[in-house]
Amino acid sequence: MTQNGADIFVESLKAEGVEVIFGYPGGAVLHIYDAIQRHGFPHILCRQEAAGLHMADGYARSTGKTGVALVTSGPGLSNAITGIATAYSDSIPMVIFSGQVPTNLIGTDSFQEADNVGLTRPVSKHNYLVRDVKDLAATIKEAFHIASSGRPGPVVVDIPKDVSGAHYKFSYPDDISLPHYQPRYEGHKGQIRRAMKMLLRAKRPVLYFGGGVVLSGASEEMTALVDLLKIPTTYTLMGIGGIPGDHPDSLGMLGMHGTYRANLAVDECDVLFAIGARFDDRVTGKLDEFSVNSKKIHIDIDPTSIGKCVETDIPIVGDVKNCLQQLLARLHEQDDPAGFHEQIAPWRARVADWNNEHPIAYEQHANGPLLPQFVLDKIFKMTEGKAVMTTDVGQHQMWAAQYYHAQHPNLWVTSGGLGTMGFGMPAAIGAQVARPDDVVIAVVGDGGFMMNIQELTTMVEQDVPVKIVLLNNQVLGMVRQWQEKFYDNRESSIDLSAQPDFMQLAEAFGLKGMQAHTAAEAEQILKDGFAYDGPVLMEFCTERGTNCYPMVPSGAPSAKMLTSDS
Amino acid sequence: MRHTLSILVRNDAGVLSRVAGMFSGRGYNIESLNVAPTLDPEVSNVTLVTGGDDKIIEQITKQLHKIISVIAVTDELENPKGFVNREMAMLKVFPKMEQRAEVLRVSEIFRGKIVHVDSKSFVVEVSGSQDKIQAMTELLRPLGLKELVRTGPLAMRRGN
């Protein structure tokens, strides 16, 4: 019996173990949607494609599995671009299927036609135009392999309508042939030995890890390394959860809104060991003054990340998990680490002092304005850092990174590289679909929340009990902070006080709404909201002018932080 | 420093834009670009001339390797003697009547070939190193050179 391309599509997804597709139908994917219906394949209907992509992304980040999205040709795909680029920036494994006009119409400016391969090339790890139904299954297999191997990333498969409609026999290939795509997993033994020697000679070492630890599933090894050597350890925005957030040797996040001690430690260290991180400008600040006195060791599976921004003394290309396992095995062959602990004891004491100088802290007065930091701190204490937290982008994201100490990997879901507003709430839907038994919290600001507000319908329709924490300061807070600091406080196009009544909005969408103006009210609605069985919107009305500290001014060295308004 | 990169690519949809787009997207410069089939119909060879310091060239090479459709990248400068490097050019000259013989003489010196002639003009074909083509261009310029097309360099590894 022959099937059509759409059946082959569904069968291929089943063969890949795909549990759910996030998507939005249209003309060029009618065959595929028909097959989805006939096969009863799980599908979640988003209300706009970019949000659908964020859902698939949230699904992927909260599980480590590959997220799958389906959109139609032309505007379907062009809407999805933001979601694809978001995943690409953070190396998230996703496979995105787009419909395309029939092959005989390609290039004729036909209805809903766009050059999908051309549009997605710079924002995807790879992409395909499937011109023949015979190639469909093999292409899908290759796409899933590329998306999830090496440095992961989104892969786009563009399927013309006549290809999904053409008949052919389904047979899923057992393997793929990509002789020239062979990501290097195993770190070089000699380099790892050299790295260990350099590390053990250090007097002021710092471990600095990033999203690579989460992506390679190496958080156990990462934690074991910190436990063993007791080296002060900092992480990037993407690394949150890579070691338990309350680990005694954790310095917290580094970079633009990182902790005082993390940035000073990196500035003064003699060996900086970078693990699955890429020296992003938000981490380094002014590059030629970044950690100038340290030797650098760098593990990354992507050779382009090594030596791209900073010179590396010991480069190690490989999978973080593999490299750390090798390193740990070697370290266990060594003598007792007590001597090393002694050697770095003065350094650890110095780093601890820095924390006492400028800890991450806030002061919430009972009758004073409600502080966003207080809300996030309460959430951390209530959940013990064991809930999934997604965020949008801006001040609330940085406060969440400072106060929500995720205890495990895949709990922290945020758009780090691209900084996509509108990401948080749909990503939370995807995460909740993936992890129905876990608490999923979407922390959003009033700016980003409005960018994908339509997805509240999806949330209610799917009955995913996401806890939305809306920190409403009626302004684009981070932009306001920059305008205050660097543009003489001239506010330009940031006022969001013209906004809907969010409680009425919640009701209109059919979810529970709760509002707090004071600290006491905040505590109450957090209690009620987390106890409520179903999606809930908790709105916290906060002050307009609160700034997020510490802050490294753009282009300044990271040790030159502003720590308060004064 | 100028580098000639020889890039073997799989003939995937849009493969040239994958290579060229990496350069434009990351702010690298392409001086010349030549794409042609190889003996294997599934594979093409891209010969590309770019510039930059060692760090930039290293990053370019790595970024090229990262493109899934790229099979191999060789940088001629890593081993200049290990490569044969040739470029072809065609030059259209409109000499004055009394200079027609001089054009033929210059062409002969550079082992050029007259591939078209009419009462007003010649088209001279020449191949060789970039310096040679540059030198010939300079000599023909005062003799009425009006048009020039160049392939950009092609490189091939010796032996092996």
Side-chain angles (χ1 to χ4, degrees), chain A residues 184-201:
Chain A
R184 189 192 168 101
Y185 283 84
E186 194 171 336
H188 188 276
K189 289 187 174 57
Q191 291 293 84
I192 289 170
R193 195 181 60 238
R194 277 188 278 280
M196 184 186 72
K197 282 188 177 159
M198 181 180 275
L199 198 58
L200 292 181
R201 275 199 305 266

Side-chain angles (χ1 to χ4, degrees), chain A residues 200-528:
Chain A
L200 292 181
R201 275 199 305 266
K203 294 202 169 63
R204 303 187 310 278
V206 167
L207 304 180
Y208 143 58
F209 72 87
V213 168
V214 177
L215 290 167
S216 82
S219 97
E220 218 174 281
E221 289 80 2
M222 189 65 224
T223 309
L225 181 66
V226 186
D227 285 341
L228 182 68
L229 297 178
K230 303 194 184 306
I231 295 175
T233 301
T234 181
Y235 46 80
T236 69
L237 183 66
M238 299 310 299
I240 292 177
I243 62 172
D246 57 3
H247 195 286
D249 289 305
S250 166
L251 306 178
M253 182 174 76
L254 82 167
M256 188 171 272
H257 293 286
T259 65
Y260 182 76
R261 59 178 167 171
N263 283 336
L264 258 66
V266 167
D267 186 54
E268 294 201 7
C269 66
D270 62 354
V271 171
L272 182 63
F273 189 0
I275 302 161
R278 60 183 175 87
F279 296 93
D280 177 87
D281 57 289
R282 283 319 196 236
V283 160
T284 62
K286 191 176 180 190
L287 201 54
D288 34 352
E289 288 182 40
F290 173 74
S291 193
V292 283
N293 297 316
S294 66
K295 296 272 186 200
K296 316 277 187 313
I297 308 168
H298 191 179
I299 299 176
D300 205 293
I301 198 160
D302 179 0
T304 69
S305 288
I306 298 179
K308 181 175 66 178
C309 302
V310 301
E311 297 283 335
T312 306
D313 297 278
I314 302 182
I316 305 171
V317 176
D319 176 44
V320 167
K321 192 179 179 81
N322 173 284
C323 295
L324 289 185
Q325 278 171 348
Q326 287 194 52
L327 179 64
L328 284 164
R330 281 193 176 280
L331 283 167
H332 286 304
E333 289 165 11
Q334 298 276 308
D335 296 341
D336 184 65
F340 179 72
H341 295 161
E342 211 170 296
Q343 175 183 321
I344 64 168
W347 169 240
R348 295 180 71 213
R350 187 162 158 75
V351 173
D353 277 349
W354 282 327
N355 194 41
N356 300 332
E357 278 173 41
H358 292 289
I360 296 278
Y362 63 92
E363 227 172 301
Q364 175 69 60
H365 299 289
N367 299 318
L370 176 58
L371 296 178
Q373 298 98 313
F374 170 76
V375 175
L376 290 160
D377 191 27
K378 279 285 159 225
I379 292 172
F380 170 63
K381 285 177 178 137
M382 285 173 70
T383 60
E384 298 172 327
K386 289 174 183 161
V388 176
M389 180 177 280
T390 74
T391 81
D392 244 77
V393 173
Q395 283 182 322
H396 72 274
Q397 178 190 30
M398 293 297 111
W399 281 315
Q402 290 173 349
Y403 288 93
Y404 189 72
H405 307 295
Q407 292 299 300
H408 307 291
N410 304 112
L411 291 179
W412 173 254
V413 175
T414 196
S415 168
L418 198 69
T420 306
M421 287 176 69
F423 174 82
M425 190 261 282
I429 296 175
Q432 188 77 81
V433 167
R435 302 174 65 146
D437 300 327
D438 292 311
V439 177
V440 177
I441 306 159
V443 180
V444 296
D446 48 313
F449 188 42
M450 289 293 284
M451 284 198 178
N452 271 320
I453 195 81
Q454 75 284 349
E455 301 307 327
L456 287 177
T457 297
T458 313
M459 190 181 286
V460 172
E461 179 191 43
Q462 299 293 334
D463 196 25
V464 284
V466 171
K467 312 296 174 200
I468 303 171
V469 171
L470 168 61
L471 297 169
N472 187 357
N473 58 359
Q474 305 204 355
V475 69
L476 287 173
M478 191 59 93
V479 183
R480 190 207 55 73
Q481 180 169 341
W482 282 58
Q483 290 180 348
E484 175 194 313
K485 298 278 178 221
F486 310 117
Y487 295 87
D488 232 355
N489 213 8
R490 284 188 302 279
E491 294 196 351
S492 177
S493 301
I494 54 165
D495 186 72
L496 298 180
S497 58
Q499 59 181 208
D501 177 328
F502 284 105
M503 291 302 98
Q504 283 187 34
L505 191 90
E507 200 185 329
F509 275 103
L511 70 164
K512 182 85 179 162
M514 302 173 182
Q515 195 181 47
H517 291 89
T518 65
E521 285 172 8
E523 285 197 77
Q524 189 58 48
I525 72 166
L526 282 172
K527 227 173 265 163
D528 297 345

